[in-house]
Amino acid sequence: MSAEGFDRSEVRTSKLDELRVVHQPLPRQDQLEKILGTTRYAGDFSQPGMLHARLVRAQVPSARIVRRDVSAARAVPGVVDVLLGEDVPHNTIWVDVPGQAVQVAALRASMEVLATERVRFHGEPVALVVAESEDVLAKACQLVDVETEPLPVLTTPEEALAEGAPAIHPGGNLLAEWQIDTGGVDAAFAGADLVVEGEYRTQLVDHAYLEPEAGVAWNDEGVLTIRVATQVIEHYRDVARILGLPESKVRVVAPYVGGGFGGKEDMTVEPYVALACWRTGRPVRMQWTRDESLLARAKRHPMQMAYRTAARRDGTIVGHEIEILADGGAYAYLSALVLLYSSVHACGPYRSGAVRLRARCAYTNNPPTSAFRGFGGMQVVFAYESQVNRLAARLGLPPEVVRKRNALSRGDVLPIGQRVETEVLLPETIDAVLERVGPKPEPSGPRMAVGRGMASNMQSYGRLVWLNDSAAAWVGFQVDGSVTVRCGVPDIGGGQASSLAQIAAEVLGTSLGDVAVHFGDSSLTPLAGTTTATRQLLMSGNAVYVASMMVRGQLYGVVSEELGDPVESLRLEGAEVVGPSGSVALVDALAACRRRSVPTEAIGTFFGPHGTAVDTRLATDRVFPDFTFGTHLCDVEVDLDTGTVRLLRYVAAHDVGRAINPLSVEGQISGGAVQGIGMALLEEVQVEEGVNLTGGLFQYLIPTFTDVPDVETIVLESGEGLGPFGARGIGEPPIGPPSAAIASAVADAVGEWPSRLPLTPERVLDLIVADAAADAVADETSS
């Protein structure tokens, strides 16, 4: 794959009758061990002589550090070391965004490993205690004395951006800003038949993955090795920088990860176990408690979104005016890029006409916010789909009619200037969910109301094109004809490793059981980049495809000479290479390769689409490689006396291009939908004056099987994706529509439009009361 750009002709598409292993609903390679509970996650690992480490965290959200005294903690029997920021060789964690984005502010953000002078959020690390046991840690951490002097606490972006507000960081509290202005907005609104206005709020949300943050570090013959739950094995570079070590002397290994959703994209325990191991010379383990994870892990950005949508009487959208204000919390992390995603996706999967957008993100003293499944593209779905549903209601049109009338098609240009280059099956996803559900059900009782809601979305897959993304993989035959794949992809539960096995097996004519995948090791597997941004199938999948094709080509070249058949006439079938004049056993063909000094392995590197960075005024020919489109529909029943919302049915349809493994695809769609349902109805991290009050899953409510009906998945396949065999990314897209679909269903049931998440019974009751009051006013007016 050329590094100069992205040529879709170099990526194989497929017809279903061509496929033998790909597109089959095969058991994943990790299925048995996960069913049996034998998977060894990062926290299950141990080393002889292992120490334990724990962070001492700030108990206030904003303060000046006056004094730190660790003498009492050091004196506790069993304490090996207590570290402060001054003990860290380079006490800075950099959040780098590579590529050419130098003209964009806040894309190179930093925070201290251990705070030395200033506390900016409740839970910020100020000391690291290392001891022989967890019991000793608990006692010693209580004895670390940190004296602080309170500073003003800024709890909302409005406060932070107000004139005269105290600066949380030098340079002010505006973290990032993006703008779009195209198409002549004023004229579009002046000529519109109607304008729909709405304000929407989303909340602070935690990832709530099953596996808490954990890792073990040890010295392996001079290489500092970290086995850690992470989505990014390339953090070995960050650890090396913090400790002042050569990058070649740090290794990060990612075993199977028990959920990431973006929460393990930034570093968690890595710098702390590495620092403790480097200081003590002994293996060190750290695992955060659920309370600690809820307290200090970066969350999903709360957003306030104000939309004005101009349209014609037939439902054609002619313009948007959009204001987005996001809470970045105390440190930048990836906020600037999250806000960029919000801006690019803000108009949804529709032709939008003229667009004027201003998106800002501010520092506050709330918990930091960063990557989360959907990465800024999710919050705006709640806003733009609510606008579409409200527009349809104002016009008396079915919402599916308005969606289809405005749906993007191949060749359309987004407000940022990027052309849609692949097929858009958005109308087909709308038809699919409508055909599945039939008529709306009847209420179960006299004080019950049933509503139906729909929402569509588009979500990018693959990283920003200016990052010059790449992934590499090694694929090789063993002497017996089995296949080994080595790729640095972290598997975070989405079947990333198994998908690579299916791709290699398809190309090399083997069974899935004959393919072994070694993954997630920064020293022993070719680097494949982050398991984020719905990029791994696009990137590592294509890298494995390229490497497998290289190996197959080398093998065919030798067999062609052996049989005298043209290379293009050969095919792999089972354990043989078959041509018009005969066949050669695979093991014999491999032996012939060795005799002729032809390798039976290859490293393939795949380069994603490239582009130049944008400035704060988003105007470019390309920001993302491609997009995935989908539609969800749900029925809800609302108790008019309590405000309780019960999901009756949920259907989700997405065009996945080509399903490498239909079982995994269905799992991603249903899992993403359930996670989105949690945000719609239940989940919210409660923060009061900067203090995080959410201490466990008994307070932070996530959906259980009693809250959610079986998600009915509909998989459409255009074959138009940029991944191998025409696949599109599907990891993030399904989390987008649930909030808007459920909100529109509640509106259908109670007569008022929700504008704030989550839709708790209290908030739904407020809508019911507001609707009753509006009806009373209407009755008085009519009489």
Side-chain angles (χ1 to χ4, degrees):
M1 181 62 62
S2 169
E4 297 302 316
F6 185 80
D7 182 357
R8 292 189 66 245
S9 68
E10 297 181 58
V11 180
R12 174 177 174 165
T13 56
S14 61
K15 297 179 180 178
L16 291 181
D17 58 4
E18 296 177 342
L19 300 174
R20 181 183 50 85
V21 180
V22 162
H23 200 261
Q24 301 305 311
L26 301 174
R28 282 176 18 185
Q29 292 192 325
D30 58 340
Q31 175 175 298
L32 181 60
E33 63 181 270
K34 287 186 174 177
I35 291 173
L36 296 176
T38 58
T39 303
R40 295 185 72 202
Y41 294 99
D44 298 323
F45 193 70
S46 63
Q47 286 272 20
M50 185 174 69
L51 300 172
H52 301 265
R54 185 178 297 178
L55 290 164
V56 177
R57 298 182 178 275
Q59 298 302 302
V60 294
S62 180
R64 183 175 294 106
I65 297 175
V66 176
R67 182 179 61 86
R68 292 159 297 159
D69 185 353
V70 300
S71 57
R74 287 183 186 276
V76 175
V79 170
V80 176
D81 206 350
V82 181
L83 290 81
L84 299 173
E86 292 80 0
D87 301 312
V88 185
H90 301 281
N91 190 34
T92 303
I93 297 174
W94 287 102
V95 182
D96 282 335
V97 178
Q100 305 167 36
V102 293
Q103 66 267 51
V104 179
L107 292 186
R108 183 173 167 81
S110 68
M111 63 183 294
E112 290 186 305
V113 180
L114 296 170
T116 56
E117 298 179 354
R118 172 77 187 272
V119 169
R120 293 181 172 86
F121 73 97
H122 178 213
E124 184 165 2
V126 294
L128 175 66
V129 181
V130 188
E132 297 285 354
S133 71
E134 295 281 0
D135 290 339
V136 173
L137 277 181
K139 182 176 180 180
C141 287
Q142 294 293 325
L143 295 175
V144 173
D145 185 11
V146 179
E147 182 182 344
T148 61
E149 178 183 294
L151 292 173
V153 178
L154 300 178
T155 61
T156 68
E158 294 95 334
E159 288 179 350
L161 296 179
E163 186 176 352
I168 296 174
H169 291 277
N173 295 333
L174 180 62
L175 195 164
E177 180 172 358
W178 302 97
Q179 297 179 24
I180 298 173
D181 197 340
T182 183
V185 173
D186 294 334
F189 273 78
D193 294 319
L194 78 161
V195 174
V196 175
E197 300 189 21
E199 295 186 1
Y200 309 94
R201 283 176 175 258
T202 63
Q203 72 276 35
L204 192 66
V205 181
D206 189 79
H207 303 81
Y209 26 65
L210 291 179
E211 178 197 24
E213 297 80 353
V216 177
W218 70 95
N219 190 312
D220 188 0
E221 297 183 353
V223 176
L224 180 62
T225 301
I226 309 168
R227 184 181 173 96
V228 63
T230 183
Q231 297 176 233
V232 184
I233 60 174
E234 283 85 346
H235 282 319
Y236 75 88
R237 297 190 179 106
D238 303 291
V239 172
R241 190 185 315 182
I242 289 167
L243 297 182
L245 297 175
E247 291 181 2
S248 60
K249 295 296 183 180
V250 179
R251 174 187 175 198
V252 170
V253 180
Y256 283 117
V257 177
F261 313 121
K264 294 167 184 170
E265 177 174 351
D266 301 305
M267 285 196 294
T268 59
V269 305
E270 295 96 318
Y272 305 110
V273 293
L275 177 62
C277 177
W278 175 78
R279 284 271 295 199
T280 65
R282 292 172 60 180
V284 178
R285 176 182 184 271
M286 174 183 281
Q287 179 167 312
W288 292 1
T289 63
R290 181 65 63 183
D291 175 80
E292 195 174 8
S293 181
L294 283 166
L295 172 67
R297 184 71 213 116
K299 316 298 181 191
R300 185 188 294 282
H301 293 74
M303 288 191 183
Q304 303 170 40
M305 298 162 286
Y307 272 64
R308 296 182 71 236
T309 301
R312 301 192 188 109
R313 287 189 181 86
D314 66 355
T316 301
I317 296 171
V318 297
H320 287 293
E321 282 192 315
I322 303 169
E323 289 274 348
I324 299 174
L325 182 57
D327 186 343
Y331 289 96
Y333 281 94
L334 296 169
S335 289
L337 295 187
V338 171
L339 191 68
L340 169 63
Y341 274 64
S342 298
S343 302
V344 173
H345 293 84
C347 298
Y350 309 112
R351 291 183 294 275
S352 305
V355 176
R356 180 182 294 141
L357 173 143
R358 186 190 188 198
R360 295 176 296 160
C361 186
Y363 291 110
T364 68
N365 293 117
N366 292 324
T369 47
S370 190
F372 200 134
R373 189 179 194 171
F375 204 83
M378 180 197 185
Q379 293 94 319
V380 293
V381 181
F382 177 49
Y384 67 67
E385 285 300 278
S386 294
Q387 288 291 101
V388 170
N389 287 321
R390 294 172 78 166
L391 173 62
R394 284 271 301 274
L395 292 169
L397 295 172
E400 61 270 22
V401 170
V402 176
R403 285 182 169 81
K404 290 182 181 181
R405 183 153 293 154
N406 295 284
L408 290 168
S409 300
R410 188 205 303 268
D412 286 337
V413 178
L414 303 178
I416 55 172
Q418 177 170 345
R419 187 174 300 277
V420 177
E421 297 179 352
T422 56
E423 188 67 39
V424 180
L425 298 188
L426 186 68
E428 288 80 355
T429 66
I430 294 170
D431 291 339
V433 296
L434 288 171
E435 290 168 6
R436 174 69 63 90
V437 296
K440 187 167 65 175
E442 295 296 321
S444 64
R447 291 293 294 165
M448 298 291 183
V450 170
R452 170 166 289 178
M454 174 188 292
S456 302
N457 78 320
M458 73 173 190
Q459 178 73 43
S460 58
Y461 63 94
R463 299 180 78 192
L464 297 158
V465 296
W466 74 58
L467 301 183
N468 299 329
D469 203 6
S470 67
W474 184 100
V475 177
F477 275 114
Q478 300 296 334
V479 174
D480 64 356
S482 61
V483 173
T484 299
V485 176
R486 296 187 175 95
C487 185
V489 51
D491 190 313
I492 63 172
Q496 285 83 7
S498 284
S499 293
L500 302 186
Q502 283 189 261
I503 293 164
E506 181 68 50
V507 174
L508 297 178
T510 64
S511 68
L512 188 61
D514 286 335
V515 181
V517 180
H518 301 271
F519 62 92
D521 189 321
S522 68
S523 293
L524 302 184
T525 56
L527 297 179
T530 65
T531 301
T532 65
T534 314
R535 64 174 291 281
Q536 280 296 357
L537 185 57
L538 169 67
M539 300 305 300
S540 64
N542 273 324
V544 167
Y545 176 82
V546 169
S548 299
M549 291 293 288
M550 293 169 67
V551 171
R552 192 175 78 177
Q554 291 155 191
L555 181 71
Y556 281 3
V558 169
V559 174
S560 174
E561 295 183 15
E562 295 273 321
L563 294 178
D565 292 334
V567 168
E568 59 272 15
S569 69
L570 301 177
R571 64 186 186 278
L572 274 162
E573 289 186 0
E576 293 185 322
V577 183
V578 180
S581 64
S583 63
V584 177
L586 178 58
V587 292
D588 294 336
L590 295 171
C593 288
R594 294 301 180 189
R595 289 195 304 271
R596 294 171 179 264
S597 300
V598 174
T600 56
E601 61 279 321
I603 289 181
T605 301
F606 178 79
F607 294 92
H610 289 186
T612 57
V614 297
D615 62 17
T616 55
R617 294 184 178 275
L618 290 169
T620 182
D621 60 350
R622 192 168 201 150
V623 175
F624 296 110
D626 194 24
F627 301 89
T628 296
F629 298 86
T631 300
H632 295 197
L633 186 148
C634 67
D635 292 326
V636 305
E637 185 173 66
V638 179
D639 187 321
L640 299 177
D641 293 322
T642 67
T644 301
V645 178
R646 183 167 68 95
L647 268 175
L648 303 176
R649 193 171 188 184
Y650 200 96
V651 183
H654 289 267
D655 169 27
V656 303
R658 181 72 69 229
I660 300 299
N661 186 326
L663 289 178
S664 287
V665 167
E666 291 172 7
Q668 287 293 300
I669 293 174
S670 60
V674 170
Q675 196 169 27
I677 290 166
M679 180 171 171
L681 294 174
L682 297 168
E683 300 181 37
E684 184 170 16
V685 176
Q686 297 290 341
V687 179
E688 187 173 303
E689 293 301 313
V691 176
N692 189 339
L693 303 178
T694 307
L697 294 181
F698 62 95
Q699 292 174 310
Y700 187 83
L701 303 179
I702 60 176
T704 69
F705 73 93
T706 62
D707 300 307
V708 182
D710 289 339
V711 175
E712 302 172 52
T713 60
I714 302 173
V715 177
L716 303 182
E717 297 181 271
S718 63
E720 284 276 329
L722 302 187
F725 305 100
R728 296 182 192 262
I730 193 58
E732 291 180 291
I735 200 173
S739 292
I742 292 172
S744 65
V746 169
D748 185 40
V750 305
E752 286 288 324
W753 290 97
S755 61
R756 184 171 183 177
L757 299 178
L759 296 174
T760 61
E762 295 83 358
R763 287 177 180 153
V764 175
L765 271 178
D766 288 341
L767 295 174
I768 294 168
V769 171
D771 182 63
D775 288 344
V777 170
D779 290 341
E780 284 187 19
T781 303
S782 62
S783 62

